[in-house]
Amino acid sequence: MVISKNMETLVAGSSTIRKLFEEGLQLAKEVGAENVYDFSLGNPAAPVPEKVTQSIKDILAEKPDSYIHGYMKNAGFDEVRQNVAASLNKKFGMSYGPEDVIMTVGAAGAMNCIFRALLGYEDEVIAFAPYFGEYRSYVANYGGNLVVVPAKMDDFDLNLDALDELINEKTRCIIVNNPNNPSGRIFPEETLKKLAEIIEKAEKRVGHPIYVLADEPYRELVYDNDVVPYIPSIIKNSIYIYSFSKTLSLPGERIGYMALSKNMDCYDEMINAMAVANRCIGYINAPSLFQLVVSRCLDVDVDLEFYDKNRRLLYDKLTELGFNVVKPQGAFYLLVQSPFEDEAEFVALAKKHHIILVSTKTFGCPGYVRIAYCVDYEMIKRSLQAFEALAKDCGL
Amino acid sequence: MVISKNMETLVAGSSTIRKLFEEGLQLAKEVGAENVYDFSLGNPAAPVPEKVTQSIKDILAEKPDSYIHGYMKNAGFDEVRQNVAASLNKKFGMSYGPEDVIMTVGAAGAMNCIFRALLGYEDEVIAFAPYFGEYRSYVANYGGNLVVVPAKMDDFDLNLDALDELINEKTRCIIVNNPNNPSGRIFPEETLKKLAEIIEKAEKRVGHPIYVLADEPYRELVYDNDVVPYIPSIIKNSIYIYSFSKTLSLPGERIGYMALSKNMDCYDEMINAMAVANRCIGYINAPSLFQLVVSRCLDVDVDLEFYDKNRRLLYDKLTELGFNVVKPQGAFYLLVQSPFEDEAEFVALAKKHHIILVSTKTFGCPGYVRIAYCVDYEMIKRSLQAFEALAKDCGL
């Protein structure tokens, strides 16, 4: 083995989801793409808004190439940070300046900057199950450990009762992913206020700030007129993290940002460290053309119906077939309880029907499978007969 | 201090070059941009090739948005990796397949993937002075240490005599940046063959492969018909690293790649780890549109004359003024020996004449300053009277 021990673990447990995605591509070659129902990946199928393509063309026509594709400050273009700050201020009643915004290589890039800056060897980051499995890699990159709060299985809200005893001197951050991948749950204001109280008490106990990372790439993807509370207006020591991947259907472009409020503890030290981290972990800066593009697309409306009709169709059909389904409020994922004790069995059986599902073991919450319904509606319609056959095989 | 100790060091020593660049912007506000001669940053001033803009437009017209901006394999689009492999095979007589190429977030991104994969706590990476200062941060990200081979001051070739004794059980990689930033030196085939011998012997001694990272963003920027040897055809355990930042004038877009040869030790393990590292350090994949763009620009000719006329003008004038200048063979940097023992004094004096230079202390090789001549020719012409005055102040 030439690779490091730490990396060995990551390679061995390498993203189950990505593996399933690649297996799905293989299966498609064998039985035809139209006969495979791949619900594995959060690859948004909603069309890229016309405004994105138009913005690319406009920017190429309006700005000098050397500006569009050149270096800027590590934190991003001033004009882009200004627009992002103004948009957040308008939407959430905040008072960010451009200096509070750092453009990043997606939300994953933002989290890596934060962990790079905050984590010493064996420092801890807390996540609530079910959680996005890659958090574990991001924390491990810098020698830290991810500590998982067990899921609250009755309603998939944040399990606050189990949180407090997990916070100690090594705790640096707590991740809150709202709306949640994979449960589709929106954590309500009441829960977040309680979380704020617990953290404030804990900070006094451990003697340093504990930052809440509000990881919100799915913020606009909410249904039934539900609302996602804005964490930085509830929790003082929080960092807002956003990605344009999901709402603008640009996951390949790697563009997002983080915003820090000036009233947080150690603001100066933190904002400075974030810009340096952006550079020194090798991003240098967020991709330049797409900084300029998203800056013009901050007010683009998401076509919610695109995903909502998928959500309704799957939820209704699977419930009707006798599956136990967690009704999602946001994002584009849906949890189905495994009819078997070991959900690996359920995943394998589904695959026989050409349905690609992801076990929630990888999200720290076994017993369920995740369906990513960010796919084409027609594929879902075609998949229904396969789900019917699957239900029968499950004895439902 | 909330940030980690390791990060504290980085923030404290944060890029001198970037700081100078921002000081230059400030000075420009005070005395007018046309009166500041900023030679601090490797921000290429050559025009972005027309083919880049045309490729963006063509791709938008030809390919579906969901493909252009969507997820692909973490290693990059198959078609892009195929084109890169074919181009390397044609240029250097190699036999890469698409599976040997990993598209990355610039060369910095590639190096971070490699260090993430290879470095355990306190493992070592060797660089030859003078070296690009950011290497130190990239290695520190994963708990490693950068070990520096002192510069060979007579000709700035690789100091092979001093290398062998620095290699030990903790050594994982050796970086060779060819042509070199900041010396502009091209390391010749003869030197690289000797390097190969030293490494092969050392590998037997330490019992594991030591990978040479051929960091070559300046490969096409060579003058007087000089040639840069292709390291992977000389050194078995080497990884080729390329960035399009400099040759296509796209430093803000963060696009590059690495290529691994199948005959290297532990190829399977390495190539697999690189794709996983690309994902888990938070890049996920190289920016998608620009993967497709560079794939169409692999054969674009660089306008060498753009930089060569700068090189000739500065070299001739500074030599004539009595400065001791290292004549560059490649890249777009030029070293001038400081007339004072402490080159900080020289940098400060130059700043009085509105000339922004970088001390080579940050490159592990004090006593010189670096001039980045990737700037507008007219600025250099305007700067000559300031250099004259500076020479006088230096008593030349």
Side-chain angles (χ1 to χ4, degrees):
Chain A
M1 278 287 174
V2 286
I3 60 173
S4 67
K5 276 223 178 323
N6 181 324
M7 190 68 192
E8 223 177 284
T9 319
L10 286 184
V11 172
S14 181
S15 180
T16 320
I17 299 175
R18 279 284 174 165
K19 242 185 238 164
L20 284 167
F21 171 66
E22 301 196 4
E23 280 172 28
L25 292 178
Q26 186 52 39
L27 192 59
K29 274 188 197 163
E30 290 164 21
V31 302
E34 72 287 1
N35 299 314
V36 176
Y37 317 113
D38 187 348
F39 295 101
S40 65
L41 206 59
N43 198 6
V48 176
E50 177 47 34
K51 175 93 177 166
V52 167
T53 309
Q54 193 54 51
S55 296
I56 298 175
K57 291 177 185 164
D58 291 348
I59 291 161
L60 292 178
E62 290 167 21
K63 308 241 179 194
D65 287 347
S66 60
Y67 179 81
I68 300 172
H69 308 297
Y71 279 136
M72 79 300 303
K73 287 180 192 159
N74 297 134
F77 286 113
D78 285 338
E79 57 162 321
V80 174
R81 299 161 75 199
Q82 173 71 56
N83 286 347
V84 169
S87 161
L88 291 174
N89 295 344
K90 193 175 148 201
K91 282 182 192 160
F92 307 116
M94 302 297 287
S95 49
Y96 294 114
E99 66 280 7
D100 304 330
V101 174
I102 313 254
M103 301 304 296
T104 58
V105 175
M111 297 190 104
N112 272 273
C113 286
I114 296 166
F115 296 148
R116 176 66 188 89
L118 288 179
L119 298 185
Y121 186 63
E122 295 202 329
D123 275 349
E124 293 177 359
V125 174
I126 293 178
F128 293 92
Y131 67 93
F132 179 48
E134 290 292 297
Y135 291 157
R136 191 171 288 280
S137 312
Y138 304 160
V139 171
N141 286 338
Y142 313 103
N145 294 322
L146 189 77
V147 173
V148 178
V149 185
K152 188 158 176 288
M153 300 299 280
D154 58 335
D155 61 359
F156 289 98
D157 197 357
L158 298 179
N159 189 353
L160 296 183
D161 291 341
L163 171 66
D164 196 50
E165 62 174 32
L166 295 176
I167 301 178
N168 61 53
E169 283 67 26
K170 294 200 139 293
T171 311
R172 296 283 154 189
C173 327
I174 299 174
I175 306 170
V176 177
N177 176 214
N178 201 20
N180 179 260
N181 169 14
S183 74
R185 170 85 196 180
I186 297 174
F187 306 119
E189 190 165 344
E190 198 195 336
T191 300
L192 297 168
K193 281 183 173 165
K194 278 187 205 149
L195 174 63
E197 284 171 28
I198 294 171
I199 292 176
E200 273 183 41
K201 271 186 209 154
E203 285 174 328
K204 280 182 195 140
R205 198 174 72 228
V206 302
H208 63 248
I210 296 167
Y211 296 98
V212 168
L213 313 190
D215 178 28
E216 304 197 354
Y218 304 103
R219 152 165 292 282
E220 284 88 1
L221 298 173
V222 293
Y223 312 104
D224 304 328
N225 297 313
D226 226 321
V227 169
V228 181
Y230 190 69
I231 289 179
S233 67
I234 300 169
I235 301 174
K236 184 182 146 199
N237 286 331
S238 57
I239 301 176
Y240 182 66
I241 298 173
Y242 187 75
S243 161
F244 296 91
S245 292
K246 310 299 180 178
T247 43
L248 297 181
S249 294
L250 300 172
E253 301 295 358
R254 318 307 311 137
I255 183 74
Y257 65 83
M258 66 175 118
L260 279 67
S261 312
K262 286 201 182 66
N263 68 347
M264 67 164 50
D265 290 338
C266 309
Y267 167 85
D268 288 338
E269 197 187 331
M270 288 287 284
I271 196 82
N272 192 15
M274 293 309 145
V276 174
N278 218 12
R279 190 187 75 237
C280 83
I281 59 181
Y283 304 137
I284 318 299
N285 52 253
S288 52
L289 171 61
F290 270 84
Q291 286 190 43
L292 298 169
V293 170
V294 299
S295 179
R296 294 175 183 220
C297 297
L298 296 168
D299 294 322
V300 167
D301 280 327
V302 178
D303 178 9
L304 277 178
E305 182 58 17
F306 185 94
Y307 298 117
D308 198 11
K309 65 181 191 300
N310 295 358
R311 179 182 77 119
R312 294 190 309 261
L313 179 59
L314 272 171
Y315 179 79
D316 291 348
K317 182 69 183 187
L318 294 178
T319 305
E320 180 198 311
L321 287 173
F323 289 107
N324 184 10
V325 185
V326 180
K327 190 167 191 178
Q329 301 167 295
F332 40 47
Y333 308 104
L334 177 149
L335 292 185
V336 182
Q337 196 169 11
S338 167
F340 311 112
E341 206 183 316
D342 182 358
E343 74 276 8
E345 211 179 312
F346 187 39
V347 169
L349 194 58
K351 204 179 160 194
K352 281 195 185 150
H353 294 279
H354 302 167
I355 303 171
I356 316 283
L357 304 174
V358 179
S359 153
T360 50
K361 215 172 265 168
T362 175
F363 298 93
C365 165
Y368 285 75
V369 297
R370 184 188 82 168
I371 292 181
Y373 59 83
C374 49
V375 295
D376 189 43
Y377 187 69
E378 296 304 314
M379 187 197 96
I380 298 183
K381 284 210 293 194
R382 285 199 308 275
S383 76
L384 297 183
Q385 44 75 28
F387 275 111
E388 274 171 25
L390 175 63
K392 243 180 229 165
D393 275 9
C394 293
L396 298 175
Chain B
M1 280 286 174
V2 287
I3 60 173
S4 66
K5 276 222 178 319
N6 180 326
M7 190 68 192
E8 225 177 280
T9 319
L10 287 184
V11 172
S14 182
S15 180
T16 321
I17 301 176
R18 280 285 176 163
K19 243 185 236 164
L20 284 166
F21 171 66
E22 302 197 3
E23 278 172 29
L25 293 178
Q26 185 54 38
L27 192 60
K29 274 188 197 163
E30 290 163 21
V31 302
E34 71 288 0
N35 299 315
V36 177
Y37 317 113
D38 187 348
F39 295 100
S40 66
L41 205 59
N43 199 6
V48 176
E50 176 48 35
K51 175 91 178 170
V52 167
T53 309
Q54 193 53 51
S55 296
I56 297 175
K57 289 176 187 166
D58 292 347
I59 292 162
L60 292 179
E62 291 166 21
K63 307 242 181 194
D65 288 347
S66 60
Y67 179 81
I68 300 172
H69 308 298
Y71 280 135
M72 81 298 304
K73 286 179 192 162
N74 297 133
F77 286 113
D78 285 337
E79 57 162 321
V80 174
R81 299 161 75 199
Q82 172 73 55
N83 286 347
V84 169
S87 162
L88 291 174
N89 295 344
K90 193 176 147 199
K91 282 182 192 160
F92 307 116
M94 301 296 287
S95 49
Y96 294 115
E99 66 281 6
D100 304 328
V101 174
I102 312 256
M103 301 304 297
T104 58
V105 175
M111 298 190 103
N112 272 272
C113 286
I114 296 166
F115 296 149
R116 176 67 188 89
L118 289 179
L119 299 184
Y121 186 63
E122 294 200 332
D123 274 349
E124 293 178 359
V125 174
I126 292 178
F128 293 91
Y131 68 93
F132 178 49
E134 291 291 299
Y135 292 157
R136 192 170 288 279
S137 311
Y138 303 160
V139 171
N141 286 338
Y142 313 103
N145 294 322
L146 189 77
V147 173
V148 177
V149 185
K152 190 160 174 288
M153 300 301 281
D154 59 334
D155 62 358
F156 289 99
D157 197 359
L158 298 179
N159 189 352
L160 296 183
D161 291 343
L163 172 66
D164 196 50
E165 62 175 32
L166 295 175
I167 302 178
N168 61 50
E169 283 67 27
K170 294 201 139 294
T171 311
R172 297 282 156 191
C173 328
I174 298 174
I175 305 171
V176 177
N177 176 213
N178 201 20
N180 179 260
N181 169 14
S183 74
R185 171 84 197 178
I186 296 174
F187 307 119
E189 190 164 346
E190 198 194 336
T191 301
L192 297 169
K193 280 182 174 165
K194 277 187 206 149
L195 175 63
E197 281 169 28
I198 294 171
I199 292 176
E200 273 182 40
K201 271 186 208 153
E203 285 175 327
K204 279 181 195 139
R205 198 173 74 228
V206 303
H208 63 248
I210 295 168
Y211 296 97
V212 168
L213 312 190
D215 179 27
E216 304 197 356
Y218 304 102
R219 153 164 292 282
E220 284 89 2
L221 299 174
V222 294
Y223 312 104
D224 305 327
N225 297 313
D226 227 321
V227 169
V228 182
Y230 190 70
I231 290 180
S233 67
I234 300 170
I235 301 174
K236 184 182 145 198
N237 286 331
S238 57
I239 301 175
Y240 182 67
I241 298 173
Y242 186 76
S243 161
F244 296 91
S245 292
K246 310 299 179 177
T247 43
L248 297 181
S249 294
L250 300 173
E253 301 295 357
R254 316 309 309 134
I255 182 77
Y257 65 84
M258 65 175 118
L260 279 68
S261 313
K262 287 201 182 66
N263 68 346
M264 68 163 49
D265 290 337
C266 310
Y267 167 84
D268 288 339
E269 198 187 329
M270 289 287 284
I271 196 81
N272 191 15
M274 294 310 146
V276 173
N278 216 13
R279 189 186 76 237
C280 83
I281 60 181
Y283 303 136
I284 316 299
N285 51 255
S288 52
L289 171 61
F290 271 83
Q291 286 191 42
L292 299 170
V293 170
V294 298
S295 178
R296 293 175 183 221
C297 297
L298 295 169
D299 294 322
V300 167
D301 279 327
V302 178
D303 178 10
L304 276 178
E305 181 57 17
F306 185 93
Y307 297 117
D308 199 11
K309 65 182 192 301
N310 295 358
R311 179 181 76 119
R312 292 191 310 260
L313 180 60
L314 272 170
Y315 179 79
D316 291 348
K317 182 70 183 185
L318 294 178
T319 305
E320 180 199 311
L321 288 173
F323 289 108
N324 184 11
V325 186
V326 180
K327 189 166 191 178
Q329 303 166 292
F332 39 48
Y333 307 104
L334 178 147
L335 291 186
V336 182
Q337 196 169 11
S338 168
F340 311 112
E341 205 183 317
D342 182 358
E343 76 276 7
E345 212 178 311
F346 187 40
V347 169
L349 194 58
K351 204 180 160 191
K352 279 191 187 154
H353 294 279
H354 302 168
I355 302 172
I356 315 284
L357 303 175
V358 180
S359 153
T360 50
K361 215 172 264 166
T362 175
F363 298 94
C365 164
Y368 285 75
V369 297
R370 185 189 80 168
I371 293 182
Y373 58 83
C374 49
V375 297
D376 189 43
Y377 187 69
E378 295 304 315
M379 186 196 95
I380 298 183
K381 284 211 293 194
R382 285 198 307 275
S383 76
L384 296 184
Q385 45 75 29
F387 275 111
E388 276 171 24
L390 176 62
K392 243 180 232 165
D393 275 9
C394 293
L396 297 177

